[in-house]
């Protein structure tokens, strides 16, 4: 989905190239239920729900402006398979998930990992996005200490072809660090 399709404000949004990679790493083709933590504009929530209409998508967001914007985008894209919760993660949620995307930890990295460990099915995928290197490294370290499997850290830099005067250049977006891992399957 193109970024231009979303209703936007100053609320941060996971850009389409980063969204595509993050959603791919979640392996949603195998999932029945996904959690989006820190939904922002709702771009990850909406693209997952729109691409996989049989997927139940649950979003959590603490910022009132972002909650309103996510609701607008849910309505705009007519997503019937999304539930939005207001609050600072971790919050009480019913059931388990096959995939969890974290767009923001609110500074509660260990708590978020412990919460995800409780909510995620064995073999489920966890993907976190960061712009700060220190946060990404902390997430990777916690994942390894908690014996999560297939821990990967990828830095992605996308740029857009843009006109400038009589010429063109590639206008860079913020680099994003994607941490992905899988909850261990107990034997």
């Amino acid at each position: 989905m193109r970024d231009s399709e979303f209703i936007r404000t100053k609320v941060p949004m996971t850009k389409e190239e980063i969204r595509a990679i993050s959603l791919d790493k979640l392996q949603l083709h195998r999932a029945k239920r996904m959690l989006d933590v820190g939904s922002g504009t709702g771009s990850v929530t909406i693209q997952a729900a729109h691409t996989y209409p049989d997927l139940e998508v649950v979003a959590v967001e603490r910022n009132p402006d972002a909650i309103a914007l996510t609701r607008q985008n849910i309505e705009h894209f007519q997503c019937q398979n999304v539930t939005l919760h207001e609050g600072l993660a971790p919050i009480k949620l019913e059931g388990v998930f096959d995939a969890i995307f974290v767009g923001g930890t609110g500074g509660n990295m260990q708590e978020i990992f412990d919460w995800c460990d409780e909510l995620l099915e064995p073999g489920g995928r966890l993907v976190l996005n960061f712009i700060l290197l220190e946060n990404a490294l902390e997430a990777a370290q916690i994942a390894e200490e908690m014996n999560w499997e297939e821990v990967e850290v990828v830095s992605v830099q996308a740029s857009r072809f843009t006109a400038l005067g009589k010429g063109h250049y590639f206008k860079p977006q913020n680099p994003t660090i994607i941490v992905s891992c899988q909850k261990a399957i107990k034997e």
Side-chain angles (χ1 to χ4, degrees):
M1 299 176 80
R2 299 190 56 80
D3 288 347
S4 59
E5 296 178 56
F6 290 90
I7 300 168
R8 307 263 314 263
T9 63
K10 292 186 185 277
V11 172
M13 180 168 120
T14 303
K15 303 298 186 288
E16 66 186 81
E17 293 82 6
I18 304 304
R19 230 177 16 253
I21 294 168
S22 297
L23 289 170
D24 183 67
K25 290 188 175 294
L26 284 171
Q27 299 178 6
L28 295 179
H29 62 282
R30 303 180 337 181
K32 292 182 176 76
R33 198 159 186 247
M34 178 198 143
L35 174 61
D36 179 2
V37 181
S39 64
T41 61
S43 65
V44 171
T45 291
I46 300 300
Q47 187 159 343
H50 192 264
T51 305
Y52 300 96
D54 292 332
L55 179 69
E56 179 187 348
V57 182
V58 176
V60 175
E61 176 57 59
R62 67 178 174 168
N63 177 329
D65 293 334
I67 291 163
L69 189 55
T70 297
R71 281 196 179 108
Q72 286 180 304
N73 277 310
I74 290 168
E75 290 174 23
H76 176 70
F77 287 96
Q78 301 177 359
C79 292
Q80 304 299 316
N81 53 335
V82 176
T83 305
L84 177 60
H85 295 274
E86 184 173 351
L88 174 63
I91 66 170
K92 177 77 174 136
L93 294 173
E94 297 297 321
V96 293
F97 297 87
D98 307 292
I100 299 176
F101 173 79
V102 178
T105 62
N108 300 325
M109 191 79 69
Q110 185 65 58
E111 285 179 272
I112 295 292
F113 263 90
D114 292 340
W115 183 56
C116 289
D117 192 47
E118 290 174 21
L119 293 174
L120 200 59
E121 290 274 9
R125 303 284 302 164
L126 173 62
V127 173
L128 307 97
N129 285 0
F130 301 98
I131 58 171
L132 296 178
L133 178 60
E134 292 81 3
N135 290 347
L137 293 174
E138 181 184 2
Q141 181 179 355
I142 290 171
E144 289 173 353
E145 288 171 359
M146 292 179 70
N147 295 316
W148 288 70
E149 299 173 342
E150 300 178 23
V151 178
E152 281 186 332
V153 181
V154 177
S155 176
V156 179
Q157 169 70 59
S159 301
R160 293 251 171 206
F161 190 66
T162 305
L164 179 63
K166 294 181 180 181
H168 294 82
Y169 77 112
F170 282 94
K171 182 178 182 179
Q173 297 176 2
N174 288 335
T176 301
I177 304 163
I178 302 170
V179 177
S180 61
C181 52
Q182 178 174 293
K183 183 175 176 179
I185 301 171
K186 305 211 191 298
E187 295 180 20

